[in-house]
Amino acid sequence: MLFMAQMQVNLPPDMPAEIADKLKADEKALAQRLQREGKWAHLWRVAGRYANVSIFDVQDNDELHALLSSLPLFPYMDIQVTALARHPSAI
Amino acid sequence: MLFMAQMQVNLPPDMPAEIADKLKADEKALAQRLQREGKWAHLWRVAGRYANVSIFDVQDNDELHALLSSLPLFPYMDIQVTALARHPSAI
Amino acid sequence: MLFMAQMQVNLPPDMPAEIADKLKADEKALAQRLQREGKWAHLWRVAGRYANVSIFDVQDNDELHALLSSLPLFPYMDIQVTALARHPSAI
Amino acid sequence: MLFMAQMQVNLPPDMPAEIADKLKADEKALAQRLQREGKWAHLWRVAGRYANVSIFDVQDNDELHALLSSLPLFPYMDIQVTALARHPSAI
Amino acid sequence: MLFMAQMQVNLPPDMPAEIADKLKADEKALAQRLQREGKWAHLWRVAGRYANVSIFDVQDNDELHALLSSLPLFPYMDIQVTALARHPSAI
Amino acid sequence: MLFMAQMQVNLPPDMPAEIADKLKADEKALAQRLQREGKWAHLWRVAGRYANVSIFDVQDNDELHALLSSLPLFPYMDIQVTALARHPSAI
Amino acid sequence: MLFMAQMQVNLPPDMPAEIADKLKADEKALAQRLQREGKWAHLWRVAGRYANVSIFDVQDNDELHALLSSLPLFPYMDIQVTALARHPSAI
Amino acid sequence: MLFMAQMQVNLPPDMPAEIADKLKADEKALAQRLQREGKWAHLWRVAGRYANVSIFDVQDNDELHALLSSLPLFPYMDIQVTALARHPSAI
Amino acid sequence: MLFMAQMQVNLPPDMPAEIADKLKADEKALAQRLQREGKWAHLWRVAGRYANVSIFDVQDNDELHALLSSLPLFPYMDIQVTALARHPSAI
Amino acid sequence: MLFMAQMQVNLPPDMPAEIADKLKADEKALAQRLQREGKWAHLWRVAGRYANVSIFDVQDNDELHALLSSLPLFPYMDIQVTALARHPSAI
């Protein structure tokens, strides 16, 4: 089951660089693991913003929330979820 | 799996009364059938508006869209869907 | 009498973990007591957000405000209240 | 129990004058009756708009919705309801 | 002459409790004096929010602004003012 | 007492030219009379829009609403009113 | 080069069914041809709305606009385009 | 003096094709004349929308409004104007 | 050439009073000089807010920006500029 | 390929002046180099705001994002990107 998540990252401007770097490295590692597992189906950068458009392929809403709230950057992100259904014109 | 749907009905002010009445009767019949089947878990009126807050219990996003788009008033409604997950403090 | 409350939690990113943990534990304890008392009729997590959709069953507006403003996380939440009425198609 | 209702009237610009006049006369008659009954506690015009700010004093949400949806202009109004509670500084 | 003021209070989360308490006590004292003088005609709490809906009865815009900007909580409030006129259906 | 009114004119695209011309001529005549009387203190066009920014100098809110709602284009305008007070730095 | 297009379809409620059906059939045929050609990389339905989220893979902005404006439903759609870049964590 | 104008065209869906075509042809002829005269300095299409971003180089606000309101599509456009100044980093 | 500037002042709540007082005094001195020079044609307080509505009479956009960005409170203000043109009904 | 970027700069009010000055000097140097290289085609100040409207001429979305995210002020800017296509009336 697919969901679009639009994630905007808002790190505090005074966060020490080493903390930010650690958060980003952990986020990247988890994002790549979830992609390899097929849960994070697509991940695109929004041009000009510290934001992404993602497609998740999960069993249900609970798995989606568990996954998103486990992200290291979750406390610093504003996430909008859109439930996606099969489109009748999709091939 | 639960979803909240917030539905605002916008019937054209010049729609003939008999057409509107037929639509509403069909909508009511389907709404009640879906409630009895357990798909439409809750249905509340928003005080002061021709709108409702609804909770649906469906298998997945496709069933949710199939159900919502089958409603007789669907062409006249603006619907916002929110995916709901289990809350850790819910009993 | 039913009300929907949509609550978005905004904890300051620099709040010490022990304070946040204490607030959340107190919030959970109170939320569960209110659910057992039947006041907090439904509590759902919004997937992807530190937010919830809740249904309260209270005597009147004063009880609703007293209840919401007693929540430990109240100073950190943005709450939108919607008054709900019986829907003519509800069974 | 008090509620604020902010009502914006949007009559179609091509509504015949006699129909609009009839609607407004019926609306006025009902508004005045509800004021005399104490249900419609305050009614003010928003300066510069075909809109009002109203305070209703009703038993519960159901009575509020029944009252608002019975207004002749209801199909042409956008209404936003705010539940009001006693303020601790009110005398 | 009547005005509606919708006031949202936004105290900084790290304000010391004694300062907040002093501000609130001063605010309350002034609010009650202005109510007794008839300037602050109505004061209601918005259910679920640290906000109020107020009706002021003043001589003119200057008196309204002088009054609002003298409130101890003024630096921490977002205030929206609506000019109210007599409604033709008001009794 | 001064008020700013921001007026956006929305004439239906299918309004016959003669009706629109009559409305505009009547509006202009009244606008100029009110300017000569000192009620309509300033009238500026918003560049690029069928809209204006106006300053009115009236006795009170009731006179403001009576004036604005008497404008021939009133049924086709969206008007936002802002109450203005004397600025402490104004000379 | 990838773009997200969020398309909301707004057919006039009084459009004759045969015209709407023809538009939709033409839209579907073109959408499927563009998918087979690899231009329309993904096409998902937004649950609960007559809307879709699409990913296009085109040479440049001109090709994107030519493609979108050639859609039979283009005159009835509100489309928001987001330029997507490669995400550093994408695998 | 430069201004950005963001123009969204909203033709009524039921406008006869010959009228729309005539409007567009007239608009195009005027747009090209103004470009040749140097008044309409830049004209770009917003990808995916019947909208444009334009830069005008005019003597003053009055010339800008005269120019924009003379466009054949002006009655069908929503235009947002932004006054531009020289940027200290521009070369 | 006239422009409306709507200025909202947002001083940090923890700014020391002496710094705020100095800024305000400097702002007032400059505002009064610019009014005497005829550049700052009108200056009104928005009732209930730390905000103003101002009319500037300047040579061009560059002068407007130079003037606004020279204000001592500029770093703390959100300013919206509207280009004003002569209204055909103005006398 | 052209893109419009609307950039709003939000420097923290308590950023030390020397840090802000260094950031701005670096930003200016890079902005001027990119203009000389033809990548940053236009750069205008929004009158009254610490903001700009820019036109970029790049190979693709990836180059646009790489360029924007390399700006020294990027962590302090809110950037909205609009993909621009050739306008059929452009000469």
Side-chain angles (χ1 to χ4, degrees), chain D residues 47-48, chain E residues 1-3 59-62 64 81-84, chain F residues 1-7 39-42 44 53-65 68 80-85, chain I residues 44-45 47 53:
Chain E
M1 200 168 63
L2 301 181
F3 292 89
Q59 285 299 312
D60 54 23
N61 295 348
D62 284 331
L64 176 68
V81 166
T82 303
L84 301 176
Chain F
M1 201 167 63
L2 301 182
F3 292 91
M4 173 171 65
Q6 295 173 282
M7 309 186 200
K39 302 288 190 191
W40 198 327
H42 299 285
W44 299 292
V53 172
S54 290
I55 305 294
F56 289 92
D57 187 353
V58 292
Q59 286 299 311
D60 55 23
N61 294 348
D62 285 332
E63 185 184 8
L64 176 68
H65 185 70
L68 289 171
Q80 300 287 339
V81 165
T82 304
L84 301 176
Chain I
W44 299 292
R45 174 64 78 214
V53 172

Side-chain angles (χ1 to χ4, degrees), chain J residues 60-75:
Chain J
D60 54 23
N61 294 348
D62 284 332
E63 186 184 8
L64 176 68
H65 185 70
L67 188 159
L68 289 171
S69 60
S70 74
L71 297 176
L73 288 173
F74 180 74

Side-chain angles (χ1 to χ4, degrees), chain E residues 65 68-69 74-81, chain F residues 87-89, chain I residues 6-12 15 19-28 43-53 72-74 76-78:
Chain E
H65 185 71
L68 290 171
S69 58
F74 180 74
Y76 306 100
M77 292 200 288
D78 182 75
I79 303 180
Q80 300 288 339
V81 166
Chain F
H87 194 286
S89 301
Chain I
Q6 294 173 283
M7 308 186 201
Q8 169 71 40
V9 187
N10 300 304
L11 291 185
M15 176 181 276
I19 294 182
D21 290 346
K22 176 69 163 61
L23 277 171
K24 293 175 189 174
D26 291 350
E27 178 89 7
K28 184 173 189 170
L43 170 56
W44 299 292
R45 174 64 78 214
V46 177
R49 300 183 70 84
Y50 190 4
N52 69 67
V53 172
L73 288 173
F74 180 74
Y76 306 100
M77 292 200 288
D78 182 75

